[in-house]
Amino acid sequence: MALARKLLRVNLTLGTCVEEPVNQEWVRQYLGQRGLASKYLASEIDPKVDALSPGNKLIFTVGPLTGTMAATGGRYSVVTKGPLTNAIACGNSGGYFGNELRSAGWDMVIFEGKSEKPVYLFIENEKAQLLPADEFWGKSVWETEGGLKKKHQDPQIRVSCIGRAGENQVLFAGIVNDLHRAAGRSGVGAVMGSKNLKAIAVRGTLGVGNIADPKAFMAAVKAGKKVLADNPVTGQGLPKYGTQVLMNVINEMGASPTRNHQDVQFAGASKISGEAMHEKRESDGKSHLVTNQACFGCTIACGRISRIDEKHFSVSTKPEYWGASGGLEYEAAWAFGNANGVDDLEALQYCNLLCNEEGMDPISFGATVGAVMELYELGVITKEEIGFEAPFGSAEALCKLAELTARGEGFGKILGQGSKRLCTKYGRPDLSMTVKGQEFPAYDGRALQGMGLAYATSNRGACHLRGYMVSPEVLGIPVKMEPKATEGKPEMLKAFQDATAVVDSTGLCLFTTFAWNLNDIQPQIQAACEGDWSMESLLMVGERIWNLEREFNLAAGITGKDDTLPPRLLNEPCKTGPQAGMVSQLDKMLPEYYQLRGWSSDGVPTNETRARLGL
Amino acid sequence: MQKSLLIDPGKCTGCRQCEMACSYEHSGIFNTSDSRIRVFEFHHEGRNVPYTCTQCAEAWCLSACPVEAIKLDALTGAKVVSDSVCVGCKVCTIACPFGTINYKYETGKVQKCDLCGGDPACARECPTGAITFVDADWTGLDRMRQWAQKTDTQAQV
C-alpha cells in the first residue's frame, strides 16, 4: 500500500499529538484523501455540531499518489464540516505542501477540540509538536509563511495557514499554502481560525517509497504523462492561458453569469480574459502575465504568475504588491469581474492578491459583492451603510470591499457572512445566488442545464468541482451534449460526480480529467497500492464517497428540499446569447437523478443502496 | 560523444519531476530532499531555476578530497563519489564554489550529480525541455540558432 498507514491526531484542547494507525478497512472502501477523510469525519463528529465549535474536527489529508511521480500528484485536501453550508466541506489544494506532508510520513492529520491560545503545528518527519503562535496571530498568510521559515531557520519548510480572514471567521475563509495555492471553498479557514490554529509547518525528508509495483507504476505514469502532453487542452490551452482559457468561450456560449446572475454575457469579458493577460499594457508596456507555473509533480502547469500594474490606483502606494505573484484563474477572474460587472484586469488582480494574502475564497467573496451591488442599486443597502458608493462596475468599490472583508472591518463584517446570510439580513433572500449557502462559480445553471443539476445536488453547495458538466456541455468531453437539453444529463452527472470523488481521493489534480478518464488513472492506482483497484472497485468507491457525504448532510439537517436553485435561475430566462430564453429545468432532471442514485423521491439513499455500497 | 546537462531556466515550471526522478533513480524512493538537482523558486520574479553540478573540468571537490573518493568517470565525464571510500569529512563541500556537493546526515557521505551513468533521469523526465542532455561541445547551439535566425539574410539591393 502506498499510504504510510499512519495518521497524526492532534488534540488542541489538551495540546497533544498522538500517532495512530490508519484504518485499513476504510482505505479499501474509501481509498484516501477526500474519501478516507470524509469517512473519518462522518464517523467521529455529530453532523449537527456547530461548525465553528470545538466539537467540529479539521482533517488535512493526502492521497496514495501524492508525492509520487504521477503527473499532478501533489494534492492535499482539508475536510471538515463547513460553516458556510453546514454541510460536509472538502477543500483541495496543490502547490508543494501536500508532498511535504506525505514525505514526512503522514497520511492524515486530524485536529480536534480548540486551543486556548493561538498555536501552530510543526512537523519534522515523525516528530510533531504544537508551538505558540502569538507572534503570527493577526498576521497575513504571506507574513506567516515567511515568519515561520525565518523562525525555524529553514527555507525548505512548507506552510499551510490561515490569514486574517480565517481568524476573523469570514465564513468563506480558505486555507492557503505556498503563498497562493488554496483549499479555498466552504469556509475551511474559518474552522481553522475557530480552533485558534494558525498554521501547519512541515519539513518532510523521508519521501514516498512503498510503491506496490514500481516498474508497473513508472510505466503507467509515463503513459499518463503522454496523454496529457498530447491533449490540446492539457498540452496547450491550459499551459498558455490557464483556466482563463474559458473566459471568452463561456461568455460567447451565453453561460457567464453577470451582475449577480441578471445577465449571462458580460461585455467586458475579453478585457479580463486569458488572452488579455498576454497583451502588453499601455501604462508600462509589460504584459500582465509573467509566466505559467506548475504545482508539485504537474506536467500541465496551468498556474498563472502575474505582475500587477504598479501605477494602478489599488497599489500605486503599496510596493509590497508590485512583485510577481499568483495570478487570476478563471473562477476568480469571473467572480471579481463578470459577477460585479467590473472589467478592470488590474483591480481584479489586486483582489486576487488580497484573497491569497488574507486567505479568502475569491469565488464566494466576488459573488457576494455581486449581491451587495444589486442590493445597492435597488436602494436596499445605502451608501452610508457601506461607507461608499457601490454600483455594478465599480472597481474602486470592489477593491475597498475586499480590504474590509479580509480584515473584518466595517461593512466587511457583514459581507464576510456570505451572500445567503447577507441577503436574508436585508430581506431579499431571493437575490442570494447560492445553493445550500454557497455561492455559484462561473457557469450559468440556466444556460447549461447539466451544470444547474450539478449545483443543486452538490454535496458542498454550489460548486463546479463536484461534477463538471461544463466538460460535456461546452468542451465535448467525453462526448458533446447540447447545453439546452435535459435528456441524459442526470446519468452523465452521476458518472462525473462518482469519478470526481475518486480523483479527489488519489492525490491527483482534477484538471487531468480534461485529458484522462478513469481508465488512465486506474493503472497508476493499481500499481501504487496493494489490493484490488479495478475499474469496478474504483467506481464503487466513488459512489460510496458520494453517498457517505450525502448521508452526513442529511444527518446534519439538509434535505432533498435543499437540492434546488435560486428563484432567479428557475424563473428568469437568459436574456441574450445562444441560450436566450432558457431557465433551469431542474424539475425535469432531479427525479431521474434520485432514481439513478438509488434514492427515495425525497432524496434519501434507500436501504438497498446503502447495503449495496456497504454503508 | 561527450554529453552534458543543459539547463534553460526560462522553460522551467517548477514541477519538481526532475527532483523526484533523481531520487528515484538513486534510491528507489520519491524524495525531493534527496535529489542532486534542485529547483529554486524566485517567487517575486516569477522564476524557477534548476541547479546542479556542472562537472567542472578541473573539479575543486575532486582535488580537495583527502582520500580520493571522488573520481572521474571517463565515459560520461562525471565526477563521481565512491561511497565506500568517502569518509564524510566534508572538505569537498567547502571546496565547491557552487554548493552542488552536499553532505548527507543520513548516510554520513557526500552526494553529488553523477549523470546517472550517462542517462540522467532529470533530463529524461523534464516535461518542458528545461533540462536536456546534449553534445558537451555544443551547449550553445540553441542560442546560436536563435541569433542566427535574427540575422538579416535578405540580398542587399
Side-chain angles (χ1 to χ4, degrees), chain A residues 19-182:
Chain A
E19 181 185 325
E20 233 177 71
V22 169
N23 184 321
Q24 291 304 304
E25 183 55 33
W26 289 356
V27 169
R28 276 184 285 279
Q29 290 177 318
Y30 295 94
L31 189 54
Q33 205 177 350
R34 172 177 160 191
L36 188 60
S38 297
K39 178 63 180 170
Y40 268 92
L41 187 82
S43 307
E44 294 190 6
I45 73 165
D46 172 3
K48 288 199 162 55
V49 76
D50 175 355
L52 297 178
S53 73
N56 195 5
K57 297 192 182 186
L58 183 74
I59 306 179
F60 284 66
T61 171
V62 296
L65 302 184
T66 305
T68 72
M69 277 182 79
T72 76
R75 312 293 300 187
Y76 77 99
S77 289
V78 182
V79 178
T80 187
K81 177 174 175 172
L84 191 66
T85 54
N86 285 318
I88 194 163
C90 172
N92 180 306
S93 181
Y96 303 99
F97 177 83
N99 166 62
E100 205 69 25
L101 183 61
R102 184 86 200 281
S103 288
W106 300 101
D107 293 337
M108 208 182 280
V109 182
I110 301 177
F111 291 98
E112 45 194 42
K114 177 185 178 177
S115 174
E116 199 180 325
K117 289 183 168 174
V119 290
Y120 69 98
L121 178 68
F122 183 50
I123 298 176
E124 290 172 287
N125 294 337
E126 49 284 298
K127 190 177 158 197
Q129 52 185 328
L130 285 169
L131 297 170
D134 303 281
E135 64 193 289
F136 303 115
W137 202 256
K139 295 274 171 36
S140 74
V141 164
W142 297 349
E143 290 167 324
T144 302
E145 176 165 335
L148 281 164
K149 287 178 174 177
K150 199 170 170 191
K151 180 180 173 185
H152 290 282
Q153 297 186 24
D154 187 352
Q156 300 188 82
I157 285 172
R158 295 293 180 182
V159 176
S160 178
C161 67
I162 54 169
R164 278 172 278 223
E167 292 179 13
N168 294 332
Q169 313 279 276
V170 168
L171 291 184
F172 46 81
I175 297 172
V176 181
N177 57 286
D178 302 293
L179 304 177
H180 57 88
R181 307 308 313 183

Side-chain angles (χ1 to χ4, degrees), chain B residues 40-67:
Chain B
F40 294 88
E41 184 185 0
F42 302 95
H43 183 73
H44 291 301
E45 298 162 29
R47 290 201 303 142
N48 289 289
V49 183
Y51 203 85
T52 189
C53 175
T54 63
Q55 313 294 350
C56 304
E58 283 184 39
W60 278 267
C61 61
L62 186 149
S63 306
C65 180
V67 294

Side-chain angles (χ1 to χ4, degrees), chain A residues 67-69 96 156 158 179-180 205-208 214 218 225 291 293-299 301 324-325, chain B residues 12-17 20-21 24 28-33 38 41 43-48 106 125 127:
Chain A
T68 72
M69 277 182 79
Y96 303 99
Q156 300 188 82
R158 295 293 180 182
L179 304 177
H180 57 88
T205 64
L206 304 174
V208 180
M218 292 304 271
K225 285 179 186 165
T291 184
Q293 162 99 40
C295 291
F296 184 87
C298 177
T299 57
S325 192
Chain B
C12 178
T13 61
C15 76
R16 269 63 170 188
Q17 284 279 343
M20 279 188 286
Y24 185 76
I29 294 172
F30 302 114
N31 188 1
T32 53
S33 70
R38 298 304 298 265
E41 184 185 0
H43 183 73
H44 291 301
E45 298 162 29
R47 290 201 303 142
N48 289 289
E106 293 82 2
E125 298 295 342

Side-chain angles (χ1 to χ4, degrees), chain A residues 79 99 159 185 227 258 281 374 475 479 490 511 559 582 612:
Chain A
V79 178
N99 166 62
V159 176
R185 299 218 74 189
V227 174
T258 300
R281 287 189 285 245
E374 183 167 3
L475 305 169
V479 292
F511 288 3
T559 70
M582 293 298 295
R612 181 170 62 81

